[in-house]
Amino acid sequence: MKSYRKELWFEVPARRGFINITPRVRECLEDSGVREGLVLCNAMHITASVFINDDESGLHHDYERWLEKLAPHEPVSQYRHNVGEDNADAHMKRQIMGREVVVAITEGQLDLGTWEQIFYGEFDGRRKKRVLVKIIGE
Ligand code: ZN
């Protein structure tokens, strides 16, 4: 069995943002040489997500509004976690958007649905953060 590991680094200049990382995961898959197997892709931070959905700007705007309704950033004093920091909302946003995705590899390709794309979701940015890509198979 082949095994491949890579860390992808991101530095989102704003507090929040979504990045389509599908091309970078595809590069990892090509480097791995795996034709049949699985790719795991997970955020290595508790204030960021990896998730799969549509690459459509209206939807991303809707996510932003929805997440701000569920866990508003302000006022930061509403959260008990915010003693010496201000990112309690980011932990909650990460929880609901998820930690990781697993995608099947078939004939050397990511076996995604028609509109499925892999995203990095940042909820407490302006610093360097990592995503792990782990690929196993033959
Ligand atoms: Zn925190």
Side-chain angles (χ1 to χ4, degrees), residues 52-112:
I52 291 179
N53 218 299
D54 194 1
D55 194 358
E56 195 280 305
S57 62
L59 179 65
H60 297 177
H61 176 80
D62 295 339
Y63 274 144
E64 165 67 20
R65 290 193 55 197
W66 177 64
L67 290 167
E68 267 298 288
K69 273 186 209 160
L70 287 173
H73 178 67
E74 301 278 358
V76 295
S77 62
Q78 72 189 302
Y79 299 105
R80 289 183 68 173
H81 177 69
N82 284 344
V83 177
E85 56 182 328
D86 67 353
N87 67 1
D89 68 301
H91 290 274
M92 292 171 185
K93 287 165 176 147
R94 181 271 169 98
Q95 201 73 44
I96 201 140
M97 295 303 280
R99 172 182 180 265
E100 78 275 306
V101 300
V102 176
V103 179
I105 301 159
T106 304
E107 296 178 352
Q109 304 292 319
L110 295 175
D111 206 340
L112 291 165

